[in-house]
Amino acid sequence: MASTAIPAGTKWWSGGKSPFNASYGKIMMWYFLMSDAFTFGAFLISYGTIRFSVNHWPDPNYVFNAFPFAGHANLPLAFVSLMTFILIFSSVTMVLAVHEGHKMNRKGVEKYMILTILGGLAFLGCQAWEWTHLITGDHAVLVNGQIEKWGTTVTRNPFGPEVLHNGQMVSTPGPIAFGGYFFGITGFHGFHVFSGVVINIIMYIKTRLGHFDQRGHYEMIEKAGLYWHFVDLVWVFVFLCFYLI
Amino acid sequence: MSNVLSSQETAVHGVHDAHHEHHHHETFLTKYIFSQDHKMIAKQFLITGIIWAIIGGLFSVIFRFQLGYPDASFPWMEDLLGKWAPGGKLSPEFYYALVTMHGTVLVFFVLTAGLSGTFANFLIPLQIGARDMASPLLNMLSYWFFFLASVIMVASLFVQTGPASGGWTVYPPLSAIGDASIGSKIGMDLWLVSMAMFIVSSLLGGLNYITTILNMRTKGMSMTRMPLTIWALFFTAVLGVLSFPVLLSGAILLLFDRNLGTSFFLSDLIVAGKVLPNEGGSAILFQHLFWFLGHPEVYIILLPAMGMASEILSVNSRKPIFGYMAMVASLFAICILAFLVWAHHMFVTGLNPFLGSVFVLLTLLIAVPSAIKVFNWLTTLWRGNIRFTPGMLFAIGFVSLFISGGLTGIFLGNSALDIHLHDTYFVIAHFHIVMGVASFFGMYAGVYHWYPKMFGRYLNNTLAYIHFWVTLVGAYLIFWPMHYQGLAGVPRRYYDFSNWESFKQFNGLNEFISVVALVVFAVQLLFVFNFFYSIWKGRKVTDPNPWKSNTLEWTTPIRPGHGNWEGEIPEVHRWAYDYSKDGKDFIPQTEPVGADESKH
């Protein structure tokens, strides 16, 4: 087979006109995000279908009212608000990292990438605590005439309709779809955050090693930023669907 | 040892640029296995696809033996399948496994990966004037994820409880409960994992195809100058990138239902006298998720065939394609409508009748762009100076099959008629003709037409003509009678019809279909022989442009290396369809427009 090696200095795109005036990497990232949006869309629509076809759904203000080290204080949605704040703040630092990248300021990029990574890790830590709290919780549930202590898992939901039992209001088992969708979708989102943190760490290392200075631009940071903002945006929808509605 | 030597040499000379090319020797591993050259990746997809097609075709031959000869037993079948065919008679469980795997393999592994993977990879850079895909690395990964998916799917054939057997649509609860049937056990898990890998592969490929087409076109190659193959592959990639993730969601939820005890798709079930703890899920939800992919998937399979047929019909009629912009617009319309018709697969699963009527309307609307395409193909052929090359014959065969199969789609798209026709052999006849065989014809057309570019040799023409005629006549003989069976109510996915008095009249017909299926399968093996024989022994190509075609791939050397063009990438000055213009037989895209040239 005749071997035609590419002559040195050949431009890979020697003309034409790109409709979006963006590099192929950015277009690829945008299309990937569209694709990923469809994955999340399918999950959230499935969740909506099931949630609004059952008669009873746990009240988020009651399910998510705990805060670390706050004992049994009733703090509805306080912790998840903190989580959301952390994640959105990490988006802000990501914007600043991209901005520093445009200015070719390596130190600035490093600083803000570190903050973004820390934000992502903090969010994952919070999620781990929240999951643990839900799974190991002990809510009184009336099962077959007996009071049992249940946590929330993919097969158990202690937040069903309340009934009168021995002069006291007690929960009955609720629709088990709650745990499945909650852990399934926040887990899938958490997996995205985790991937984002890994990507950001790689970007940080590449910045440290001066790869982007050699390349003459910080577009990789921008692409990682697109992904990170997308993960944030998805969280806004997850937050809306599971905690606010 | 040789590795050590060459790396020492590189260490010594590596700093000199002049030696760079000399040391850029490709090993067998980098050239044929972990290749990043889009042409080699295309061949990898094609050959893997051919292997899958043989396996998938063999499945259908075996279950056709059961349908054609329900009372007979075949000792060779026991030799081949062991415990799945005790006494030489196919077991019902394995019959369902075969039907399921036949669908899965042909739809996904052959007509999606084998078709798009081959021709998108091969044609996009060559026809738009790019040295390679936007990201050759992701492109390579796309193949290897496909390979991984293939390995897992093959492995599922050999597990003790057999492969998935709930149909290629894997509807729950059959697919969601391990105890539902023997094929619902580990084979089903492997099916889902394999499909997840497949979706990753399709995503990586699709992203590459889209960005390459948008960003890597050569100078002068505006979107409206692209050959229709590229437009079709572009819309195919968009469909894949936006519909496969929804199946991924469904597959993940299904895996959770199977392995973690969730109830996404399960509710209030009793299996073998035991009440399952699942509640609150919806099996119909899975059908929505599945068909949101499943219907666009039909067009993922069809559009590349349409694009290649357009190109090949024009080249071999020596006429410009009729209605270029209408062709692009109808591809776009099909692409949009593909996302809005999925529920026509679910008319009888419990759909609001009003919603059903909306989906009927949207479904029947697809007939409009489809008819535009068909008429444009016919008008392209009209009074053309037709050359009946094997590629051309298959392209014409594609148009024929698309018309015959498309017409029955109008029957099935009607929710009232569908009550009678759903899940009968009428459906089987419809989708096999319109998407199965038609796409195969598009694929064969592409292989015959671009084989000289792929391997620098021609396929044997005599074998090609035998292949075409037997396949065309055979395909109609197999699937045409199934329409009558379906209208008479013969249901699909049944192992044995001999207990029904009313279906006895079809015993002879079933036997006939099975015999023809065997013959057609044998002729495909003839093609496979032709394909591999010609790689080494075929007639050599001496003319860089053997079909006198306008498109850019024929401006490369006869056997282009990595990078495609030896010098600069050619510039483009016109569209791809200037045939029989101003007294010239053809004017390649690279030729500047003359001052006194008429408009096309």
Side-chain angles (χ1 to χ4, degrees), chain B residues 224-225 320-321 324 574-578 581 597-600:
Chain B
T224 47
R225 280 179 182 166
I321 189 81
Y324 175 86
R574 58 179 74 236
W575 73 333
Y577 297 104
D578 275 337
K581 186 189 177 198
E597 199 175 305
S598 59
K599 279 194 157 185
H600 67 69

Side-chain angles (χ1 to χ4, degrees), chain B residues 388-390 448 458-466 530 539 547:
Chain B
F388 289 104
T389 62
Y448 282 109
Y458 293 99
L459 285 157
N460 181 300
N461 263 0
T462 314
L463 293 182
Y465 288 132
I466 297 171
N530 193 1
R539 188 161 54 88
W547 311 123

Side-chain angles (χ1 to χ4, degrees), chain B residues 469-542:
Chain B
W469 286 109
V470 176
T471 312
L472 181 77
V473 175
Y476 274 116
L477 288 180
I478 292 170
F479 295 112
W480 200 258
M482 288 188 186
H483 290 104
Y484 299 102
Q485 292 183 314
L487 285 170
V490 179
R492 63 191 284 208
R493 293 183 169 140
Y494 274 42
Y495 167 71
D496 186 350
F497 295 104
S498 44
N499 286 333
W500 280 273
E501 201 57 44
S502 54
F503 299 147
K504 283 230 167 90
Q505 52 171 324
F506 296 120
N507 283 356
L509 196 56
N510 270 333
E511 188 179 338
F512 172 75
I513 291 174
S514 295
V515 171
V516 181
L518 187 64
V519 172
V520 171
F521 180 71
V523 168
Q524 308 316 303
L525 294 182
L526 193 68
F527 163 77
V528 175
F529 167 76
N530 193 1
F531 183 90
F532 287 105
Y533 179 82
S534 302
I535 292 179
W536 289 282
K537 301 279 169 149
R539 188 161 54 88
K540 276 195 172 173
V541 176
T542 48

Side-chain angles (χ1 to χ4, degrees), chain A residues 136-198:
Chain A
T136 58
D138 48 353
H139 291 270
V141 186
L142 186 67
V143 188
N144 300 327
Q146 299 288 319
I147 297 284
E148 288 184 18
K149 295 282 187 183
W150 276 15
T152 315
T153 67
V154 292
T155 52
R156 277 183 169 187
N157 172 8
F159 304 107
E162 295 199 327
V163 292
L164 199 62
H165 178 70
N166 294 343
Q168 230 182 332
M169 293 302 281
V170 195
S171 285
T172 53
I176 57 176
F178 173 72
Y181 278 109
F182 177 78
F183 290 114
I185 294 177
T186 57
F188 197 65
H189 177 264
F191 172 69
H192 274 73
V193 176
F194 174 74
S195 320
V197 168
V198 172

Side-chain angles (χ1 to χ4, degrees), chain B residues 576-592:
Chain B
Y577 297 104
D578 275 337
Y579 293 103
S580 305
K581 186 189 177 198
D582 294 347
K584 285 185 195 157
D585 181 34
F586 70 110
I587 313 175
Q589 284 190 281
T590 48
E591 203 163 303

